Amino acid sequence: EAWITRQLESEIELSPTLTGVLGQFETLDLTPKECREFIYMEIPDDATPEERRARNALRNLPKRELAQSVLLRAMLNERQIEEVLCDFWRNHFNVSFTKGGPADALIPDYESQVIRGNIWGKFPAMLKDSARHPAMLHYLDNYLSRKPPSKQELAEVERKVRRRTGSRQRGEEAASIAAQKGLNENYARELLELHTLGVDKFYKQKDVVAVAEALTGWTADLGRNGTQNFVFNGGMHIYGDKRVLGRVIRSKAGEGQEEGEAILNLLSSHRGTADFVATKLVRYFVNDIPPPALVRRVSATFSKTKGSIPEMISAIVESKEFWARENYRAKFKTPFEFVVSALRVTGAEVDSVRKITSTLQSMGQPTLHCDDPTGWYDTAESWLDPGVMALRWEFAEALASGKVEGVRIPDSFFSIIPSDLPPLLWQHHLTRAVLPGGAGERTRAALAAVTNDYLKGRSIPDLYDLGPRLLGLLLGSPEFQQQ
């Protein structure tokens, strides 16, 4: 209880190790505009081929450093609940580098301001910050959403292109392309379906259209020399009253941005949002099949506290369901959780995370590269794949035997085994360190078999030979795959 209270209520400073590691990154603290300028920094005409290659390689640095920082924070941050919450909300309000284009410059700031900047606050603030952030506007195309161009605007497009090119055909083609621009429902649909109410809950298609219309003009200055900031463009907005979820959103001339804000307020206070967010949190923290009674209590906490995230987490971890035996080890680790927990439990020293990030990619969960707006799923059925499990076993063995590039388990980890302890008992000390809840019968039998086979061929047991073998088995065991 004291540990949880400290995690939720007090400021835990970053460790000197983590501070030092993050301080080596060049791009984490850049604004989107600065990040964009870094990515597209001019290459001098007289640059050598080597200099050009080096400069081009740096264009991926913001994206690479952010992914590395997410992993390192998860490994090293002593405020563990903070990292767990970041993992949850990063998937709830998913954006992805797979979108390409401006995303490389926008997502580092999104992670800092929208996700990390709100996890100790309230849901409505995070929702509003995500809705206005250029990374989300770009990811779900709302920056393009606008009222359909008028006949006069299309005629002006045609005249300009014809005048510039001298071609009537090109002018007509440009006008035809411009005519296709208009309302984009992508963000409005995901706002209702994934961020607030849930799939097919409370709303209909006409609500999606009305929300999309209210959010026209919510765009961003994403040009090469732009600020990369949120902008409301009244010229793109569809004015007029909108009816959403049975409520009328009044429209006033010159106040189009307020329509979108009114809808975000409506959704934040809707009981459907409280239920949906509560269900996801309980599923994430307790069981793939969320206990209904706990969901109702967390939903009530959402409504009572106006979406306080710490209060909802407290309601979960203080509940009888959280501690119930049937919910013990009921969750299956995602690849990210598996890799991070293996590194944390062994106290692994990391000089480079390049191999770890490539491992996550091969396991199907590359950091911040989930193309689906749902984010990565956290239920067992999403990850119980034989091919992925084989990769987990390979990683466990490689980590334990020191074969993961840039990563090593310190000798001090194995010092938990007393020097005068018989080898047949080594497995018990390692199990206690890696699986505090204990190992199952099959895992214990496998550990004993490896120890016996080892002793048959050795007269003098070697802790730093047998120890890694046993550790690899424990990290790859069924029990370690469970939360």
Side-chain angles (χ1 to χ4, degrees), residues 67-258:
Q68 292 174 350
S69 73
V70 167
L71 183 59
L72 287 165
R73 283 178 180 272
M75 287 170 48
L76 301 172
N77 194 355
E78 294 180 7
R79 197 169 192 177
Q80 290 171 258
I81 290 183
E82 178 172 283
E83 298 308 317
V84 170
L85 287 174
C86 282
D87 183 53
F88 174 84
W89 292 111
R90 191 181 294 120
N91 285 295
H92 185 84
F93 290 110
N94 180 57
V95 295
S96 175
F97 283 120
T98 58
K99 184 72 174 182
D104 290 4
L106 299 173
I107 293 179
D109 184 76
Y110 182 87
E111 168 78 11
S112 171
Q113 300 302 315
V114 176
I115 305 301
R116 292 191 177 276
N118 283 294
I119 55 172
W120 299 111
K122 296 188 175 183
F123 175 84
M126 189 182 292
L127 178 68
K128 290 178 182 178
D129 284 354
S130 71
R132 289 169 53 97
H133 199 282
M136 182 64 76
L137 293 167
H138 173 254
Y139 177 58
L140 292 176
D141 302 317
N142 202 79
Y143 79 110
L144 299 171
S145 188
R146 53 160 295 155
K147 66 179 181 181
S150 65
K151 292 182 179 179
Q152 293 81 359
E153 289 172 324
L154 293 175
E156 180 62 24
V157 169
E158 182 177 350
R159 282 194 297 271
K160 285 183 178 180
V161 174
R162 185 189 300 180
R163 198 161 46 239
R164 189 176 70 250
T165 64
S167 170
R168 178 177 179 177
Q169 181 180 354
R170 289 190 178 182
E172 292 174 347
E173 290 174 350
S176 177
I177 293 172
Q180 298 173 28
K181 296 180 179 179
L183 189 67
N184 189 301
E185 299 175 10
N186 287 357
Y187 175 65
R189 181 171 290 102
E190 307 305 357
L191 173 64
L192 296 171
E193 181 176 311
L194 299 178
H195 297 171
T196 55
L197 301 177
V199 181
D200 298 328
K201 300 284 184 65
F202 301 99
Y203 66 90
K204 298 180 180 179
Q205 174 58 22
K206 63 182 181 180
D207 295 300
V208 175
V209 173
V211 170
E213 290 179 344
L215 291 169
T216 49
W218 284 50
T219 185
D221 182 11
L222 299 181
R224 183 118 180 206
N225 298 316
T227 62
Q228 314 298 303
N229 291 334
F230 168 82
V231 174
F232 176 74
N233 186 335
M236 299 172 67
H237 185 67
I238 299 174
Y239 286 93
D241 294 350
K242 284 89 178 172
R243 190 172 187 84
V244 178
L245 304 178
R247 295 273 297 275
V248 175
I249 306 297
R250 299 296 180 187
S251 179
K252 298 180 181 178
E255 296 184 5
Q257 181 177 335
E258 285 76 2

Side-chain angles (χ1 to χ4, degrees), residues 265-287:
N265 289 333
L266 172 62
L267 292 172
S268 293
S269 59
H270 198 283
R271 67 180 179 87
T273 298
D275 289 345
F276 181 63
V277 172
T279 299
K280 286 193 68 174
L281 282 169
V282 174
R283 181 184 296 122
Y284 182 83
F285 279 97
V286 181
N287 197 303

